[in-house]
Amino acid sequence: MSDQQEFPEDPSEYADPENVEHHSTGKGLALPGQNLPDKVYIIPIHNRPFFPAQVLPVIVNEEPWAETLDLVSKSDHHCLALFYMDTPQEDPRHFDTSALPLYGTLVKVHHASRENGKLQFVAQGLTRVRLKTWLKHHRPPYLVEVEYPHQPTEPTDEVKAYGMALINAIKELLPLNPLYSEELKNYLNRFSPNDPSPLTDFAAALTSATGSELQEVLDCVPMLKRMEKVLPMLRKEVEVARLQKEISAEVNRKIGEHQREFFLKEQLKVIQQELGLTKDDRSADIEQFEQRLEGKVLPAQAQKRIDEEMNKLSILETGSPEYAVTRNYLDWATAVPWGVYGEDKLDLKHARKVLDKHHAGLDDIKDRILEFLAVGAYKGEISGSIVLLVGPPGVGKTSVGKSIAESLGRPFYRFSLGGMRDEAEIKGHRRTYIGAQPGKLVHALKDVEVMNPVIMLDEIDKMGQSYQGDPASALLETLDPEQNVEFLDHYLDLRLDLSKVLFICTANTLDSIPGPLLDRMEVIRLSGYITEEKIAIAKRHLWPKQLEKAGVSKGSLAISDSALKALIDGYAREAGVRQLEKQLGKLVRKAVVKLIDDPKAVIKLGPKDLEASLGHPVFRNEQVLSGTGVITGLAWTSMGGATLPIEATRIHTLNRGFKLTGQLGDVMKESAEIAYSYVSSNLKSFGGDPKFFDEAFVHLHVPEGATPKDGPSAGVTMASALLSLARNQPPKKGVAMTGELTLTGHVLPIGGVREKVIAARRQKIFELILPEPNRGSFEELPDYLKEGITVHFAKRFADVAKVLF
């Protein structure tokens, strides 16, 4: 492939490339169809195709296109061809000729210049060229032979119509996008609007279509086809420009409104300050804090500290971090209700009415609370004290606390200590920490706005400990009436008088409460409810509450007393009433489904309807285990009382031995050892064969092996089971017992008498054996619990044996 003469190959034959600009100036503008060369050098471009109707600057890399431009500048016509390439070649020296499209644009080069490794020139589009033959393609400069597609000179009517449509679209685009106005003016100066080819190319160049779409227009030589391609592209551009203008106008309108508002507000601020009508942020803050303190009685130390902080606030810059810290401190310090006390309603009749309204049963608890209120009424004020309500879940500890607050007419604040591990939640963080806050007690005082509220500390037995501190120890200072006169919150660093606060704590069990803390509390035990009490609670509180929750009228849905009793016996035997409430809710929901189908229906629930709604009963009427070596014991758990059968049997007579099962704790294992030793050594006096245990391998089991069991109240029961086994005589039926045994046969007292009596009644056991020292505890029980129950009080184990055998 040889190069043509007007393009000599050796660049050294030309003038210095720096003079490219000099060579390209001074020539007149070339018009399409005049002096068009058939051999031209080419340069690929990558952004978008260059159209014949355009005059635009083009920038290319000096390496490898300097030589090409040198050669062009030396030619007579100063023309080269620009071809569009979709993806740039990695190395222009190794050119992929197949990547080049068939059509490009012949341009005349003007004003070539060189700067920072780039070459820039103004390209004036002349006409379409079609690539015919490659004359040189091994390395730049690339030389090709081209031909010029023939176009009809006289436009048809259809072409003229399309031309008018294109001009109208361009006119629409102009006011929408002013960027095009200069370009259009240049075009109109150079071309006649009647010339359809440049008009179509110019219209395509105005659009923001992709490179490949524009190349399709360049490839399309027939006039009408090309116009058919370009007109939709131009219409789309008009729509996009119109939408863009609308969005811009909306954004500008919003920004304008905000700016106007901002300027007016700033002007108003300045005018108000000039007239003395308003104050700056700092003055407003100080005035707000001073207003808060009006009517409050501050201790001298607190007044002095707050005054110091106010002075500090008045000289700090509002933007400084210290200002924010000081402002936050004053916000809390002035929110405390210093010296503001609510008036107590010391009316015992009102208090009894409130307690009866909210709680069925619990007569002993109500009496205990009324005694507590009576002392306050007699004295004229209720000084702060700590009441601890202990009982199984769901017996109403939290609601008793609310009732106490209501009967006193004091505000009530509750927070849970369950899982709390950080003492800062009680006593606050020091101010030096980021995000520091006062403790929960300051939060409570701020919320209730008096210094003598009722504060409930829920779940005090479930506090944790961690490396962050021991909140139980932090509560000692908080709760002790001797110390909390000067309670110190770490954040405020001011002494607060909590001595008038009535603290009510709740717990399920006392085991996990530290001794020093428990020592400061008045313990009130709430035992579980018996069936009669549960029925009353369900009728008065739980059932109406569930109906209201579901929006069902009392006339549409009713439940009989016998159904309530069957529900409690079969599905909700726990000590509290939470499970009972859930089951009642389930019944109401099932009934609502029927009411939706038939809104006028009246549904009455009886005992037979329970199984359809709630499934089979969870609890069956337990057969109280009986027979030789089987005794029914009574146990206390954190969920209330329970019956606990104990079984003893002889496995074989090959050797002496004793085996224990039933997941027993250390205390119960010891009780079993004591019972075994006592019965073995005293078997003759109880009418058994003295040699029985010498030859027998005995197994003692406490059923429900999966449930952990521990506690000092099963010694008597275990001894009775072993004695029944040794005498080979079944014990008296329908008797349950509790009590601890010593090696000398004394029966020791136990706790939880009320819960154990309730558990026996629930199991229809009406004959009990209790330790003699617990006689007082039994006598104190309400009459309805004692009714129909026969109790034998045992001082020694012999008294138990008399009753059983």
Side-chain angles (χ1 to χ4, degrees):
M1 191 186 296
S2 62
D3 295 342
Q4 306 302 306
Q5 276 191 350
E6 62 258 54
F7 299 103
E9 180 147 0
D10 186 3
S12 62
E13 294 179 26
Y14 304 126
D16 184 355
E18 294 291 342
N19 299 324
V20 172
E21 183 176 345
H22 166 74
H23 289 291
S24 61
T25 54
K27 301 280 179 186
L29 288 179
L31 291 173
Q34 293 178 354
N35 304 324
L36 296 178
D38 58 348
K39 299 180 183 65
V40 289
Y41 285 107
I42 69 164
I43 291 180
I45 54 175
H46 305 296
N47 292 341
R48 49 194 277 147
F50 199 96
F51 281 93
Q54 288 181 295
V55 179
L56 285 175
V58 177
I59 300 171
V60 294
N61 290 326
E62 188 178 341
E63 177 61 37
W65 305 112
E67 191 179 339
T68 304
L69 278 173
D70 277 349
L71 293 169
V72 170
S73 69
K74 288 290 184 183
S75 69
D76 295 336
H77 47 71
H78 295 293
C79 291
L80 59 80
L82 295 178
F83 281 84
Y84 170 69
M85 281 188 82
D86 202 357
T87 50
Q89 295 287 324
E90 286 182 17
D91 184 2
R93 289 181 181 78
H94 299 92
F95 201 66
D96 179 10
T97 55
S98 64
L100 223 56
L102 204 57
Y103 282 90
T105 302
L106 184 74
V107 299
K108 186 157 188 174
V109 175
H110 300 275
H111 304 292
S113 63
R114 174 180 305 199
E115 192 177 339
N116 298 331
K118 299 282 182 186
L119 292 168
Q120 184 169 335
F121 60 89
V122 176
Q124 175 199 353
L126 299 178
T127 182
R128 273 177 179 66
V129 292
R130 185 171 179 278
L131 202 152
K132 192 176 175 187
T133 320
W134 282 87
L135 301 176
K136 179 176 182 292
H137 64 85
H138 296 301
R139 63 184 178 80
Y142 299 120
L143 185 65
V144 294
E145 187 178 348
V146 295
E147 60 183 7
Y148 301 95
H150 172 70
Q151 292 169 357
T153 49
E154 283 299 317
T156 63
D157 290 345
E158 203 173 349
V159 168
K160 280 181 181 174
Y162 264 106
M164 291 303 295
L166 286 172
I167 287 172
N168 287 337
I170 293 169
K171 281 180 181 173
E172 275 184 61
L173 194 58
L174 272 179
L176 296 173
N177 195 337
L179 284 174
Y180 297 135
S181 60
E182 287 303 316
E183 207 168 330
L184 187 66
K185 281 174 192 170
N186 290 340
Y187 165 73
L188 291 174
N189 288 340
R190 291 184 292 118
F191 301 109
S192 159
N194 292 329
D195 190 0
S197 184
L199 174 68
T200 311
D201 289 344
F202 177 73
L206 283 182
T207 67
S208 56
T210 61
S212 55
E213 286 175 330
L214 292 173
Q215 182 63 43
E216 282 179 25
V217 174
L218 197 61
D219 290 344
C220 188
V221 176
M223 198 67 251
L224 195 58
K225 269 192 181 177
R226 200 188 325 160
M227 286 180 145
E228 284 172 359
K229 277 184 189 291
V230 173
L231 188 57
M233 289 163 68
L234 195 59
R235 293 302 324 169
K236 183 181 173 186
E237 198 68 26
V238 171
E239 290 306 315
V240 170
R242 183 174 285 124
L243 185 62
Q244 206 167 351
K245 190 169 185 182
E246 283 172 15
I247 292 168
S248 299
E250 182 64 20
V251 170
N252 289 337
R253 186 184 64 76
K254 284 184 180 172
I255 290 172
E257 277 177 15
H258 286 307
Q259 282 181 329
R260 183 168 173 274
E261 238 174 73
F262 174 75
F263 285 131
L264 287 172
K265 279 180 181 172
E266 289 302 309
Q267 284 175 332
L268 184 65
K269 268 189 197 174
V270 173
I271 292 165
Q272 285 177 331
Q273 282 178 12
E274 288 293 322
L275 295 173
L277 298 174
T278 186
K279 299 173 181 64
D280 59 5
D281 292 346
R282 188 193 292 112
S283 309
D285 283 342
I286 291 171
E287 193 174 285
Q288 182 195 2
F289 296 143
E290 284 171 347
Q291 279 174 355
R292 277 192 196 170
L293 292 174
E294 284 172 16
K296 293 179 180 177
V297 184
L298 276 75
Q301 178 209 7
Q303 185 69 60
K304 183 184 171 194
R305 181 68 180 278
I306 288 173
D307 289 344
E308 284 171 4
E309 294 290 334
M310 292 271 209
N311 291 334
K312 188 173 164 186
L313 194 74
S314 63
I315 57 171
L316 285 168
E317 278 299 319
T318 50
S320 73
E322 187 65 19
Y323 180 87
V325 171
T326 307
R327 190 195 174 288
N328 202 34
Y329 176 82
L330 283 168
D331 190 28
W332 278 105
T334 55
V336 173
W338 301 100
V340 179
Y341 292 94
E343 201 173 321
D344 288 335
K345 289 182 193 165
L346 299 172
D347 179 356
L348 293 188
K349 284 181 183 172
H350 168 71
R352 183 172 281 286
K353 202 180 285 179
V354 170
L355 290 169
D356 285 340
K357 176 182 162 192
H358 292 303
H359 303 278
L362 302 179
D363 291 335
D364 47 344
I365 307 300
K366 289 178 191 170
D367 291 343
R368 178 72 193 77
I369 290 166
L370 288 168
E371 287 163 19
F372 171 73
L373 298 178
V375 172
Y378 187 77
K379 186 182 171 188
E381 66 160 1
I382 291 184
S383 55
S385 61
I386 319 157
V387 176
L388 174 62
L389 302 171
V390 187
V395 293
K397 299 182 291 297
T398 306
S399 52
V400 164
K402 282 183 187 167
S403 300
I404 293 173
E406 192 182 323
S407 59
L408 280 172
R410 287 191 183 189
F412 178 77
Y413 186 92
R414 171 192 169 275
F415 66 93
S416 175
L417 299 171
M420 187 183 285
R421 295 183 300 178
D422 187 356
E423 65 180 35
E425 294 202 39
I426 306 284
K427 301 186 82 173
H429 306 85
R430 304 203 181 278
R431 265 174 80 189
T432 47
Y433 298 124
I434 291 172
Q437 276 203 327
K440 280 277 195 289
L441 291 154
V442 176
H443 277 87
L445 295 178
K446 180 187 174 184
D447 278 13
V448 298
E449 297 177 351
V450 292
M451 291 296 279
N452 61 337
V454 175
I455 294 181
M456 172 164 274
L457 310 175
D458 236 341
E459 314 287 2
I460 200 167
D461 57 330
K462 295 180 183 65
M463 273 187 295
Q465 280 189 8
S466 75
Y467 64 91
Q468 289 158 309
D470 177 9
S473 302
L475 276 176
L476 292 176
E477 182 197 351
T478 312
L479 299 180
D480 190 344
E482 300 298 320
Q483 296 179 52
N484 67 12
V485 180
E486 293 198 325
F487 171 75
L488 184 69
D489 183 88
H490 289 159
Y491 178 81
L492 293 178
D493 207 20
L494 297 172
R495 299 281 174 186
L496 293 162
D497 181 6
L498 301 181
S499 60
K500 299 288 188 286
V501 176
L502 173 55
F503 289 103
I504 298 177
C505 308
T506 72
N508 294 134
T509 171
L510 301 178
D511 302 344
S512 53
I513 302 174
L517 187 58
L518 190 59
D519 191 41
R520 288 165 166 78
M521 301 178 179
E522 289 185 60
V523 178
I524 299 179
R525 287 188 178 276
L526 282 83
S527 306
Y529 299 107
I530 59 171
T531 306
E532 289 76 13
E533 287 175 326
K534 281 188 178 180
I535 291 172
I537 292 167
K539 283 168 73 174
R540 279 173 50 186
H541 301 291
L542 305 181
W543 183 249
K545 182 178 166 186
Q546 289 300 330
L547 290 178
E548 189 186 339
K549 201 171 167 185
V552 179
S553 67
K554 288 181 183 177
S556 302
L557 180 61
I559 187 167
S560 66
D561 288 5
S562 55
L564 281 175
K565 189 173 187 306
L567 177 67
I568 290 160
D569 284 343
Y571 301 88
R573 273 194 202 172
E574 85 290 1
V577 291
R578 200 167 279 141
Q579 189 64 29
L580 174 59
E581 186 174 4
K582 285 180 190 172
Q583 299 296 349
L584 289 171
K586 204 169 178 183
L587 287 174
V588 171
R589 288 196 300 275
K590 299 271 186 191
V592 167
V593 174
K594 294 177 188 170
L595 287 172
I596 284 176
D597 294 336
D598 183 6
K600 292 179 181 176
V602 175
I603 299 173
K604 290 187 177 174
L605 297 172
K608 291 175 184 175
D609 303 320
L610 296 182
E611 209 162 306
S613 297
L614 304 177
H616 289 291
V618 180
F619 302 98
R620 302 269 173 198
N621 285 336
E622 287 177 28
Q623 286 297 89
V624 177
L625 300 177
S626 60
T628 305
V630 180
I631 301 284
T632 303
L634 294 171
W636 178 91
T637 70
S638 62
M639 300 293 283
T643 53
L644 190 74
I646 291 180
E647 304 168 328
T649 185
R650 181 171 67 178
I651 298 172
H652 56 72
T653 55
L654 301 175
N655 60 329
R656 179 190 178 95
F658 184 55
K659 183 180 180 181
L660 267 176
T661 53
Q663 201 173 338
L664 309 178
D666 293 340
V667 178
M668 278 190 82
K669 283 177 184 170
E670 284 183 8
S671 296
E673 297 288 347
I674 291 166
Y676 181 69
S677 300
Y678 175 74
V679 174
S680 300
S681 56
N682 294 282
L683 193 50
K684 190 175 181 184
S685 62
F686 292 120
D689 178 3
K691 294 179 184 174
F692 179 83
F693 286 107
D694 296 342
E695 298 166 353
F697 189 92
V698 176
H699 184 167
L700 187 77
H701 174 61
V702 185
E704 287 188 65
T707 310
K709 292 168 276 289
D710 200 15
S713 65
V716 169
T717 319
M718 289 172 165
S720 302
L722 292 169
L723 181 57
S724 168
L725 178 69
R727 286 180 58 150
N728 196 24
Q729 181 186 353
K732 184 179 179 182
K733 283 189 178 180
V735 178
M737 64 184 73
T738 180
E740 193 50 274
L741 186 66
T742 67
L743 272 176
T744 52
H746 288 278
V747 179
L748 300 180
I750 44 83
V753 171
R754 182 189 171 114
E755 286 88 343
K756 289 174 179 178
V757 171
I758 289 172
R761 284 192 82 99
R762 209 181 284 133
Q763 287 298 102
K764 310 270 191 302
I765 296 173
F766 294 102
E767 190 169 353
L768 306 180
I769 300 173
L770 300 179
E772 175 65 39
N774 285 110
R775 186 186 287 270
S777 306
F778 181 79
E779 299 295 342
E780 285 173 8
L781 293 180
D783 292 339
Y784 65 83
L785 279 184
K786 294 187 285 187
E787 189 184 339
I789 286 185
T790 308
V791 180
H792 307 280
F793 293 102
K795 279 186 184 175
R796 300 181 60 83
F797 184 69
D799 304 334
V800 178
K802 260 183 217 165
V803 175
L804 285 179
F805 308 107

